[in-house]
Amino acid sequence: MKDEIEIIDTIRKRFNTYPPSVVSQIGDDTAVVRHDNRYLLYTTDFMVEDVHFNLAFETPYQIGFRLVSSNVSDIFAMGGEPEFMLLNIALRKDLDFSFLDELMDGIEECLKRYKLSLIGGDISESKNNIFLGATLIGYSINPILRNGAMAGDRIYVTGTTGDSGAGLELLKRIKKPLNIRLNEINLTTEDYEMLKRFSADMDSVLYLLKRHLLPEPRPLHNILKDINSMMDISDGLSIDLWKLCKESGVGALIYEDKIPVSDALKEVSSATGLDALSLALTGGEDFELIFTTSKQIDTSLISEIKITEIGIIIEKDFYIEKMDGKKKSLTPQGYVHLRKHDG
Ligand code: ADP
Ligand code: MG
């Protein structure tokens, strides 16, 4: 079988005629369709049991929340506002109704968080795994595509990366669902005892778990006019930057010492032996934004969001300057569905 990236290329080559209102189709975070004086944005994402989520260490609430927020991230990646959602669910007959009820708690919380309305969907029976799908419709006045990066652009990333990947690593070791909600944490004394294994700094441990379980993407509205290209980080900083460069027909040089690693990740990785830098470069589902611009960004316009300049767009190829100043070719790594081995 081909892998995800090859399959998307195959589909894209085969279905390649569009009406003139379609500004961007397969290949970006959302499809972009002109409608009167604004652009409509369409995006859809699946979550498959045992691939995107695992009931052995996540609650249905957390899965529902993430189903919505991962799609919100794609709308923000275009500089857009999400408005409406369609929900598709395929469930096993033997599931308890409480699964659906809790799933809806998480979906509802996230819809409220981003002021979205659920306007439709579909339901099916599934023989084995649970399938969850969300389709989001949003709009933008001035959508930012992946393909606008130009040689000489500065590369920025919001927030910190690797946190969600670290949270997932912790969950795999915890091996049980934890009752963590957006505004409410209900853990037993035994839970806390277990979490202390990862670090005495409980705030850091909980922060990393929350970054994975309940990601909260943030928009970059105030500086959009200065941005040439943008996408969200769903599969890993290095592979997603590589995808942006591929769409733009350019290359990139990034600096290892500029990759934004949170204090929480530094703390927990030193206590557990996780590789913070590798997670920051290749860990998925941070739902931060990567963007490029030829301007110096006025950070006062987005004071609530940390942004870090991590490199520069070059004509071609992909490099990382290591801590010791040596420049090395960077292999884009991250999660690729259907790929037999990484890298
Ligand atoms: P993201 O991670 O931003 O959600 P994906 O990696 O899922 O994006 O998809 C990349 C691009 O390929 C998107 O533009 C998406 O719409 C398109 N795509 C993915 N799967 C399919 C498919 N089965 N048919 C058509 N387009 C697809
Ligand atoms: Mg995306």
Side-chain angles (χ1 to χ4, degrees):
M1 193 48 170
K2 292 167 185 269
D3 73 26
E4 176 191 10
I5 294 177
E6 295 160 340
I7 295 172
I8 292 173
D9 270 347
T10 310
I11 295 177
R12 194 171 175 177
K13 287 198 184 99
R14 180 148 173 177
F15 301 93
N16 58 4
T17 46
Y18 303 95
S21 59
V22 178
V23 176
S24 175
Q25 345 73 21
I26 298 172
D28 222 309
D29 292 292
T30 76
V32 181
V33 181
R34 196 193 324 270
H35 184 80
D36 297 334
N37 56 358
R38 64 181 197 167
Y39 296 85
L40 295 180
L41 310 174
Y42 299 86
T43 184
T44 191
D45 266 316
F46 257 140
M47 281 175 62
V48 178
E49 186 179 14
D50 297 339
V51 178
H52 298 89
F53 65 88
N54 190 329
L55 286 171
F57 52 71
E58 288 170 274
T59 65
Y61 167 95
Q62 291 157 351
I63 295 161
F65 189 96
R66 198 157 85 250
L67 174 68
V68 182
S69 70
S70 60
N71 279 280
V72 168
S73 177
D74 278 323
I75 300 272
F76 287 162
M78 307 303 289
E81 266 313 318
E83 271 191 312
F84 302 112
M85 187 173 103
L86 302 166
L87 173 66
N88 294 336
I89 41 190
L91 302 174
R92 288 188 293 275
K93 268 192 206 162
D94 65 355
L95 270 174
D96 213 69
F97 176 72
S98 64
F99 170 85
L100 185 64
D101 206 32
E102 257 207 66
L103 180 81
M104 287 190 298
D105 284 347
I107 290 174
E108 189 178 17
E109 184 104 85
C110 199
L111 290 175
K112 260 199 262 160
R113 162 82 178 75
Y114 292 102
K115 301 188 177 63
L116 276 164
S117 314
L118 180 65
I119 56 166
D122 196 17
I123 296 178
S124 166
E125 185 174 320
S126 167
K127 294 294 173 207
N128 291 302
N129 294 0
I130 301 170
F131 287 73
L132 305 169
T135 300
L136 247 63
I137 301 134
Y139 67 90
S140 168
I141 304 300
N142 190 6
I144 318 274
L145 308 185
R146 285 183 190 179
N147 69 9
M150 287 182 289
D153 275 6
R154 298 155 189 266
I155 305 168
Y156 286 92
V157 59
T158 62
T160 54
T161 57
D163 295 334
S164 172
L168 177 60
E169 287 304 319
L170 299 186
L171 283 169
K172 285 183 188 161
R173 298 178 191 189
I174 294 166
K175 295 196 187 87
K176 66 170 273 208
L178 295 172
N179 192 354
I180 297 175
R181 294 193 169 210
L182 190 63
N183 300 311
E184 197 185 325
I185 295 182
N186 262 321
L187 300 181
T188 62
T189 322
E190 293 84 67
D191 289 338
Y192 280 112
E193 280 306 314
M194 181 178 47
L195 296 183
K196 270 197 214 145
R197 281 186 1 224
F198 303 124
S199 162
D201 179 4
M202 194 47 56
D203 286 347
S204 292
V205 175
L206 291 174
Y207 168 83
L208 296 179
L209 290 172
K210 231 175 150 189
R211 283 288 312 260
H212 180 73
L213 293 168
L214 304 170
E216 288 182 84
R218 295 154 306 171
L220 266 182
H221 292 327
N222 292 345
I223 56 165
L224 292 178
K225 65 174 187 355
D226 291 330
I227 295 181
N228 287 340
S229 68
M230 180 153 70
M231 74 178 290
D232 68 335
I233 303 178
S234 51
D235 298 329
L237 173 58
S238 71
I239 201 162
D240 286 333
L241 176 60
W242 174 80
K243 287 181 191 170
L244 182 143
C245 288
K246 189 168 146 237
E247 288 301 319
S248 297
V250 293
L253 165 64
I254 60 174
Y255 305 104
E256 194 174 71
D257 62 349
K258 299 278 174 58
I259 305 301
V261 177
S262 68
D263 290 341
L265 179 53
K266 285 182 195 151
E267 161 63 31
V268 172
S269 58
S270 71
T272 55
L274 289 174
D275 183 342
L277 192 63
S278 158
L279 280 166
L281 279 169
T282 64
E285 299 187 305
D286 280 310
F287 300 116
E288 295 293 349
L289 297 169
I290 318 175
F291 61 94
T292 79
T293 169
S294 56
K295 308 250 172 65
Q296 180 98 44
I297 291 294
D298 178 357
T299 47
S300 67
L301 292 173
I302 43 164
S303 53
E304 74 287 5
I305 300 180
K306 168 188 162 84
I307 61 165
T308 310
E309 190 176 339
I310 59 161
I312 184 162
I313 295 292
I314 54 180
E315 297 283 343
K316 64 182 172 65
D317 298 330
F318 216 56
Y319 300 102
I320 183 161
E321 194 180 294
K322 308 288 280 182
M323 301 278 187
D324 60 11
K326 293 208 179 91
K327 204 168 103 175
K328 281 183 63 178
S329 167
L330 177 67
T331 315
Q333 280 186 336
Y335 196 77
V336 180
H337 290 276
L338 300 167
R339 186 168 281 183
K340 289 188 186 69
H341 54 83
D342 237 347

